[in-house]
DNA sequence: AAGTCGGGGGT
DNA sequence: ACCCCAGACTT
């Protein structure tokens, strides 16, 4: 079925939506300005991230790095540390690369059109539309998860939103209905409606400004829309972390590309399909580390990712011989670090939990938190 | 077109 | 359990 998009209906829809937005929108910090740098920052932080989770990160980043030059100049490891706990760390790496490009190649000037914005690292179809409409009043839609839900329900679109071909349908529909005088407010109104009224489950239709002109409301099809087919498979991984310790120093390793947590720090790692303590002893024997005393073995830490169920164990070993410590570093791409400096490294969430909850007790030092 | 990449909260 | 979140990038 074809969505009704005649001019009168479009005008009524956008007018109701904008009126509702004016009265009901949340007072969020990134809405105070049209500065493309801070809007960009908020949009990246909010990718696949709820406002409630992202807001404190936005405030911290925008106050610490006030300009794109500040951001580009900062060490990536500092950015990653501040990003710690937010997830999808490629966002931070891409932002840093993007900021460098803007400063180095574009004289610090943010691009001001959809076509230019989408060329930047980390800026895709949604974010390009959001920045172009909010900051530069370009009449392009910003199709995110909210927009998929709101549009599909209001217009009765049953195309599978996980298919890339479907994006085109929604983008063209958005292009037709977006008012050219307030494109940024319109896009934000759609998202605000999706986030507060047109919810995935139990939508608050009786409070919706579009109630009288919504296909899903009329046909009682709210639970059927949007159509989404893909299902994800979750793998289990067993991670045995070996914390090698000697006189207040521990060995850490920065994670490389090709796996989760790229750029974050962890420890010597044994991975297998199952948790096996024996492999740890084999590791010790193979490496001639003297006879390390096992100070501690933690209970299991379970950690859920989108595609993976992680089972982590932490084993703290005290290495007796002094020379071996440096040799172990070289052989395993490890770095020696004093325990008091661990707090400065970006670490994955479950490691953060272990470091805060258990390591101070094991090694008998004060909490890592200031 | 499908897979990968985090962490959290709601139901 | 399952779903979704102001998605983008790689294969």
């Amino acid at each position: 079925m074809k969505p009704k998009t005649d001019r009168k209906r479009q005008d009524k829809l956008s007018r109701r939506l904008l009126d509702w937005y004016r009265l009901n929108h949340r007072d969020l910090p990134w809405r105070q300005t049209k500065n493309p740098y801070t809007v960009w920052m908020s949009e990246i932080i909010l990718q696949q991230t709820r406002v409630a989770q992202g807001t404190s990160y936005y405030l911290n980043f925008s106050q610490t790095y006030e300009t794109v030059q500040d951001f580009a100049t900062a060490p990536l490891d500092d950015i990653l540390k501040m990003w710690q706990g937010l997830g999808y760390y490629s966002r931070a790496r891409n932002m840093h690369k993007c900021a460098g490009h803007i400063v180095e190649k574009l004289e610090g000037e943010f691009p001001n059109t959809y076509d230019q914005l989408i060329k930047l690292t980390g800026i895709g179809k949604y974010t390009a539309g959001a920045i172009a409409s909010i900051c530069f009043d370009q009449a392009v839609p910003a199709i995110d998860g909210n927009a998929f839900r709101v549009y599909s329900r209001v217009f009765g679109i049953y195309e599978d939103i996980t298919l890339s071909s479907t994006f085109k349908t929604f983008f063209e529909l958005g292009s037709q209905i977006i008012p050219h005088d307030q494109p940024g407010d319109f896009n934000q109104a759609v998202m605000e409606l999706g986030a507060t009224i047109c919810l995935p489950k139990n939508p608050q239709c009786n409070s919706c400004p579009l109630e009288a002109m919504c296909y899903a409301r009329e046909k009682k099809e709210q639970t059927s829309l949007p159509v989404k087919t893909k299902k994800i498979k979750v793998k289990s991984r067993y991670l045995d972390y070996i914390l090698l310790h000697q006189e207040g120093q521990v060995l850490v390793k920065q994670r490389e590309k090709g796996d989760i947590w790229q750029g974050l720090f962890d420890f010597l790692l044994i991975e297998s399909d199952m948790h096996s303590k024996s492999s740890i002893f084999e590791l010790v024997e193979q490496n001639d580390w003297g006879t390390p005393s096992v100070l501690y073995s933690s209970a299991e830490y379970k950690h859920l990712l989108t595609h993976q169920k992680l089972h982590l164990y932490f084993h703290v070993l005290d290495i007796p011989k002094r020379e071996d410590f440096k040799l172990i570093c070289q052989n395993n791409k490890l770095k020696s670090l004093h325990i008091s400096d661990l707090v400065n490294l970006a670490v994955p969430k479950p490691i953060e939990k272990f470091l805060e909850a258990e390591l101070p007790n094991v090694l008998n030092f004060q909490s890592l938190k200031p």
Side-chain angles (χ1 to χ4, degrees), chain A residues 283-327:
Chain A
L283 180 81
V284 171
E285 287 184 19
Q286 286 172 14
N287 285 280
D288 187 28
W289 292 342
T291 50
S293 50
V294 179
L295 297 178
Y296 183 74
S297 274
S298 78
E300 180 186 48
Y301 282 71
K302 290 179 184 172
H303 187 72
L304 261 49
L305 304 179
T306 304
H307 292 79
Q308 301 180 17
K309 180 174 183 178
L310 305 179
H311 307 257
L312 296 87
Y313 305 84
F314 297 93
H315 312 277
V316 183
L317 268 57
D318 199 57
I319 302 294
K321 287 196 293 181
R322 177 124 196 99
E323 308 78 45
D324 281 354
F325 212 53
K326 289 175 187 169
L327 199 61

Side-chain angles (χ1 to χ4, degrees), chain A residues 92-357:
Chain A
R93 300 194 306 270
N94 290 338
M95 271 184 87
H96 194 247
K97 180 178 177 185
C98 179
H101 180 260
I102 289 172
V103 169
E104 304 275 328
K105 310 283 185 182
L106 306 181
E107 299 172 355
E109 203 71 15
F110 238 90
N112 58 5
T113 66
Y114 178 90
D115 290 330
Q116 293 295 317
L117 287 162
I118 203 169
K119 294 178 182 171
L120 300 175
T121 307
I123 295 184
K125 297 186 292 262
Y126 160 74
T127 305
I131 298 175
S133 63
I134 293 170
C135 302
F136 304 112
D137 295 305
Q138 192 178 350
V140 290
I143 309 298
D144 71 334
N146 293 304
F148 273 124
R149 190 165 54 256
V150 171
Y151 288 164
S152 69
R153 284 176 176 167
V154 170
F155 295 101
I157 303 169
Y158 284 84
E159 292 182 49
D160 182 355
I161 64 169
T162 63
L163 301 178
S164 46
S165 57
T166 302
F167 184 89
K168 192 170 179 231
T169 302
F170 283 76
F171 190 88
E172 288 174 354
L173 173 59
S175 300
Q176 289 184 31
I177 64 178
I178 192 168
H180 286 239
D181 53 341
Q182 326 181 47
D185 285 342
F186 178 81
N187 281 332
Q188 294 196 75
V190 171
M191 294 189 278
E192 190 80 357
L193 192 73
T196 62
I197 302 287
C198 195
L199 304 170
K201 291 174 183 172
N202 304 323
Q204 309 295 300
C205 295
N206 50 5
S207 304
C208 180
L210 305 181
E211 179 184 16
M213 46 192 314
C214 178
Y215 168 91
R217 173 64 162 172
E218 182 187 345
K219 306 287 188 185
K220 302 193 192 317
E221 286 281 271
Q222 295 97 323
T223 58
S224 312
L225 292 168
V227 176
K228 189 174 180 180
T229 60
K230 279 185 191 166
K231 285 170 188 166
I232 49 176
K233 259 174 62 179
V234 179
K235 276 191 216 166
S236 280
R237 295 173 69 176
Y238 292 81
L239 310 178
D240 279 285
Y241 277 115
I242 320 295
L243 275 77
L244 299 174
H245 167 263
Q246 191 175 69
E247 297 174 356
Q249 303 283 122
V250 290
L251 301 188
V252 299
K253 180 168 188 179
Q254 191 162 27
R255 292 184 62 85
E256 297 166 353
K257 67 178 167 185
D259 200 354
I260 56 174
W261 300 329
Q262 180 186 338
L264 276 63
F265 287 85
D266 60 0
F267 310 101
L268 184 59
L269 171 61
I270 301 176
E271 178 166 359
S272 54
D273 293 337
M274 285 296 298
H275 166 58
S276 63
K277 226 173 170 180
S278 59
S279 57
I280 297 165
F281 292 123
E282 289 175 24
L283 180 81
V284 171
E285 287 184 19
Q286 286 172 14
N287 285 280
D288 187 28
W289 292 342
T291 50
S293 50
V294 179
L295 297 178
Y296 183 74
S297 274
S298 78
E300 180 186 48
Y301 282 71
K302 290 179 184 172
H303 187 72
L304 261 49
L305 304 179
T306 304
H307 292 79
Q308 301 180 17
K309 180 174 183 178
L310 305 179
H311 307 257
L312 296 87
Y313 305 84
F314 297 93
H315 312 277
V316 183
L317 268 57
D318 199 57
I319 302 294
K321 287 196 293 181
R322 177 124 196 99
E323 308 78 45
D324 281 354
F325 212 53
K326 289 175 187 169
L327 199 61
I328 295 168
C329 289
Q330 295 169 13
N331 292 344
N332 298 284
K333 293 186 181 175
L334 297 164
K335 272 173 50 177
S336 181
L337 197 74
H338 193 265
I339 48 178
S340 61
D341 291 324
L342 279 172
V343 70
N344 299 318
L345 302 182
V347 297
K349 199 62 177 178
I351 292 184
E352 177 190 346
K353 287 182 182 172
F354 170 77
L355 292 180
E356 289 180 4

